[in-house]
Amino acid sequence: MSALIARMSDLGAQDVEWLHLLVADWQVISDLGFADLVLWLPTKDDDVVAIAHARPSTGATVHHDDVVGQSAPPGLRTMLLAAAQSKTQSRLREARWEGSFAIREEAIPVVRGGRTLAVVARQTYLGGNRTPSRLELNYVESADELCAMIARGEFPLAHAATGPRRGAPRVGDGLVRLNAEGETLYASPNAVSALHRLGVTDEIVGVSMAEVITPLIEESSPVDESLPLVVMGRAAWRTEVEARGVSLSLRALPITEHGERTGAVLLIRDVSELRRQERELLTKDATIREIHHRVKNNLQTVAALLRLQARRTGSSEARTALEEAMRRVATIATVHEALSQTIDEAVDFDAVFGRTLRMAADVASGEARVVTERTGEFGRVPATDASALAVVLTELVTNAVEHGLAGQNGTVRIDARREGNQLRVRVSDDGVGMDAEQAADGLGTQIVRTLVATELDGSIEWEPLDGGGTSVTLRATLADVRDAG
């Protein structure tokens, strides 16, 4: 839509935003009016082109094909241009026949700041011959009032909520018409049923909605501060009310005439089941985080026991083995600590590895001065791969310090490159290098090879560097990252 407007007209950024706000909120008018809405834009070359289209979910559509980008037919074009010039609504005296069915057409100028930006064509399918019901009459009357607001430059509502507070509920979920005092003029059957589930048993027509809902709110339950404004129809906002285990989503559309509020349309939807499912998800997320937290605590306990055992061991070889086991357990605990702090089953691996990298280098270097340099980014890594990847990289860094630098001062470099699920990590040092036998038979190397093949679905290669040092290249295929949202 923005591309069409930019190419065909000279409308400014604020005018374009006004049209976007209209299109974002006009589905309610289409549903209330049982009509297709087509937004027609007068162009710089005196053409009239469709730039947006909404079909009603409450009735039959007039346009089965996409009309966006098409020019208006001659008869409709004349009516659209006349409405744009006069800034008033116009309707054809007689229905237009389209094959076997008739269409009632109306042109509504989209006015902002006294200028016509575009024209909305309201086209209603007249295929059925029957007396409209009371619900349909109230729907159409509400649509007429909102269309009149478009022509006066009062819709879309400039101060309406955006984001999650704009949009639903829909017309079919439940509708209540209010007068200027917030009293009910009409309530659709779906709206009556939703209010009954909330606890409203008396007749609500002629009664203020605020007086109906306020006694039902439990003293201990939280109340949205916008609730009074919404149920009185005074603010174009959306809120929720909860009572007796039932949650209703309420959305108000104030009806104005020349700036004076004359009533409102209140849309109501029962969202009790949706909120129950959300609470279940929150409970599951909290449970998962608690599990990760307890696993982290247990692993830290195991690491502490290994540290105590290492201190009491007289054999230096056994002490070294216990310290290495302690380091591996502590690395896995770090991953679970990160998982316990998020609702997603994925971790920011750059943050996790930053902590384990320094720990591994400091423990392995002893008295030597070892510098670690990192380039590139790991990104978000799923929990299924994070522990194995952390252990593998910790082993590679430890081997580079212990065997590559061999107790000497030096530098270990880690370069990470991520493309989608494919990860390539290169760990290199500027030391004396590892011999082939050591690279093949060491316990750390065997752990690395096993985890890379079985957990990371990847490969690993060792190669000497010119001038001394060793380079290890890890390639891994990570699982998809699934966020909680």
Side-chain angles (χ1 to χ4, degrees), residues 469-485:
T470 305
S471 172
V472 185
T473 302
L474 163 68
R475 290 181 173 85
T477 301
L478 305 178
D480 293 331
V481 174
R482 293 182 174 86
D483 292 335

Side-chain angles (χ1 to χ4, degrees), residues 130-173:
R130 61 181 180 83
T131 303
S133 65
R134 186 183 175 199
L135 178 143
E136 292 171 335
L137 290 174
N138 277 276
Y139 273 22
V140 172
E141 287 178 10
S142 299
D144 291 342
E145 291 171 338
L146 291 171
C147 287
M149 290 175 62
I150 294 176
R152 292 193 296 267
E154 299 174 355
F155 190 94
L157 299 162
H159 302 291
T162 57
R165 292 188 176 273
R166 198 182 191 105
R170 303 287 292 271
V171 168
D173 295 327

Side-chain angles (χ1 to χ4, degrees), residues 134-367:
R134 186 183 175 199
L135 178 143
E136 292 171 335
L137 290 174
N138 277 276
Y139 273 22
V140 172
E141 287 178 10
S142 299
D144 291 342
E145 291 171 338
L146 291 171
C147 287
M149 290 175 62
I150 294 176
R152 292 193 296 267
E154 299 174 355
F155 190 94
L157 299 162
H159 302 291
T162 57
R165 292 188 176 273
R166 198 182 191 105
R170 303 287 292 271
V171 168
D173 295 327
L175 176 139
V176 175
R177 294 185 68 193
L178 306 176
N179 62 16
E181 287 71 39
E183 298 171 341
T184 303
L185 301 176
Y186 170 79
S188 71
N190 283 347
V192 172
S193 297
L195 291 169
H196 279 181
R197 287 190 286 273
L198 191 70
V200 178
T201 57
D202 298 331
E203 176 65 37
I204 63 173
V205 175
V207 181
S208 169
M209 281 295 293
E211 296 177 2
V212 170
I213 291 179
T214 301
L216 302 175
I217 300 175
E218 302 171 0
E219 293 184 3
S220 58
S221 62
V223 178
D224 191 335
E225 62 183 10
S226 64
L227 178 61
L229 297 175
V230 172
V231 297
M232 294 293 289
R234 295 180 178 177
W237 208 258
R238 178 179 157 194
T239 187
E240 285 192 14
V241 59
E242 184 172 352
R244 301 171 55 189
V246 175
S247 296
L248 298 186
S249 177
L250 309 175
R251 181 193 178 201
L253 292 171
I255 303 297
T256 61
E257 186 172 349
H258 302 294
E260 296 293 327
R261 186 170 54 84
T262 59
V265 171
L266 186 63
L267 303 179
I268 301 177
R269 181 188 177 191
D270 186 346
V271 293
S272 304
E273 185 62 21
L274 180 62
R275 296 295 172 260
R276 184 188 67 82
Q277 294 175 359
E278 289 177 350
R279 285 192 291 269
E280 287 184 354
L281 288 175
L282 288 174
T283 301
K284 291 179 181 178
D285 290 336
T287 302
I288 292 172
R289 289 199 300 273
E290 179 63 21
I291 290 172
H292 285 302
H293 180 71
R294 294 189 181 187
V295 169
K296 181 263 297 184
N297 288 344
N298 291 338
L299 290 172
Q300 288 180 338
T301 301
V302 172
L305 292 174
L306 290 172
R307 185 183 298 109
L308 288 173
Q309 187 65 46
R311 289 174 180 174
R312 291 176 174 269
T313 300
S315 169
S316 61
E317 184 177 348
R319 186 183 302 111
T320 300
L322 288 171
E323 289 175 348
E324 289 179 354
M326 178 196 69
R327 186 191 67 243
R328 291 162 186 146
V329 171
T331 298
I332 300 174
T334 303
V335 174
H336 282 280
E337 182 180 10
L339 287 169
S340 69
Q341 298 172 357
T342 176
I343 63 174
D344 300 330
E345 278 296 285
V347 296
D348 178 2
F349 198 81
D350 294 281
V352 172
F353 184 57
R355 297 166 60 183
T356 60
L357 171 63
R358 192 64 257 173
M359 178 181 66
D362 289 344
V363 171
S365 60
E367 298 298 328

Side-chain angles (χ1 to χ4, degrees), residues 75-108:
L76 178 62
R77 181 179 183 276
T78 301
M79 182 177 67
L80 295 173
L81 292 176
Q85 185 173 6
S86 64
K87 301 184 182 65
T88 57
Q89 297 175 251
S90 62
R91 176 182 293 181
L92 293 179
R93 293 180 179 272
E94 297 182 358
R96 178 173 64 86
W97 284 87
E98 185 75 25
S100 59
F101 60 90
I103 302 172
R104 183 173 62 242
E105 293 181 314
E106 181 179 357
I108 305 143

